[in-house]
Amino acid sequence: MENLVTSIRSCIVCKDHLPVTPNPIFRIHPKARVIIISQAPGSIAHQSSVPWKDPGGRQLRLWLNCDEETFYDPTKVAIVPMGFCYPGKGKTGDLPPRPECAPLWHEVVLKSMPEIKLVILIGNYSQKYYLKRTRKKNLTETVRHFHEYLPAVFPLPHPSPRNRFWLTKNPWFDTEVVPMLQYAFAKAVSD
């Protein structure tokens, strides 16, 4: 595992396409029980080297009913984005994750964590990559049909404050999805 972490941390495959110096941000451990696969680190994570230490992370921890100590315990929760480095700003938010990372690193990362019980897929990029043909026509429908992917996978929207409109438009998420997410997450980290 140490060699893998060192290799990822020193990766510069996409450095010519990034607006900043590469800073791969992830957390892995061979005993991790849950893996969160999301888009890519934002500018706050890039600056601090700590994933999900922002408003979106606070919202995600609320959805999970998870305190920071558990969330940042790599023996319980692994954090692996589709793109390990901050991709830069676009017109309506951050740019998409660099396409090089997932094919280069994800398979070996997942094989290094044999105790994963739950894969949480946050946003379209991870859902397209991992769910492939079983993904529904859009993120809303994929999340609405979360039960079809259980017990191993749980698709979620991004918890960013920018998604307030989506959350307001889809009140079933809070009443139907969040309680099941909390149950699945608690079961996975305690099994």
Side-chain angles (χ1 to χ4, degrees), residues 126-181:
S126 63
Q127 291 167 19
K128 284 179 185 177
Y129 190 84
Y130 281 98
L131 298 180
K132 300 190 185 340
R133 285 187 236 156
T134 64
R135 185 177 159 270
K136 306 302 178 197
K137 66 181 179 176
N138 57 40
L139 179 134
T140 300
E141 290 306 307
T142 302
V143 172
R144 187 187 306 270
H145 292 90
F146 71 92
H147 56 277
E148 294 179 20
Y149 307 102
L150 290 174
V153 176
F154 211 117
L156 293 177
H158 198 285
S160 166
R162 288 190 180 111
N163 275 348
R164 280 184 295 243
F165 177 73
W166 188 92
L167 293 168
T168 301
K169 191 176 173 186
N170 297 286
W172 51 266
F173 178 78
D174 279 329
T175 58
E176 298 171 30
V177 179
V178 170
M180 287 303 298
L181 172 65

Side-chain angles (χ1 to χ4, degrees), residues 27 32-34 36 66 70-71 73-79 185 189:
R27 292 186 180 227
R33 312 294 294 203
V34 173
I36 296 171
C66 176
T70 302
F71 188 81
D73 179 347
T75 66
K76 294 182 178 163
V77 179
I79 299 172
F185 178 80
V189 296

Side-chain angles (χ1 to χ4, degrees), residues 55-118:
R58 283 190 290 281
Q59 182 62 59
L60 177 58
R61 288 186 289 280
L62 284 173
W63 288 349
L64 297 171
N65 192 29
C66 176
D67 59 43
E68 280 196 29
E69 183 180 350
T70 302
F71 188 81
Y72 288 113
D73 179 347
T75 66
K76 294 182 178 163
V77 179
I79 299 172
V80 178
M82 293 299 294
F84 287 87
C85 296
Y86 172 59
K89 277 272 181 240
K91 288 182 181 178
T92 60
D94 290 345
L95 291 171
R98 292 296 315 159
E100 299 89 348
C101 285
L104 183 62
W105 296 114
H106 278 217
E107 184 177 352
V108 67
V109 164
L110 288 168
K111 283 182 181 176
S112 74
M113 295 186 293
E115 295 188 35
I116 294 292
K117 302 292 181 200
L118 180 64

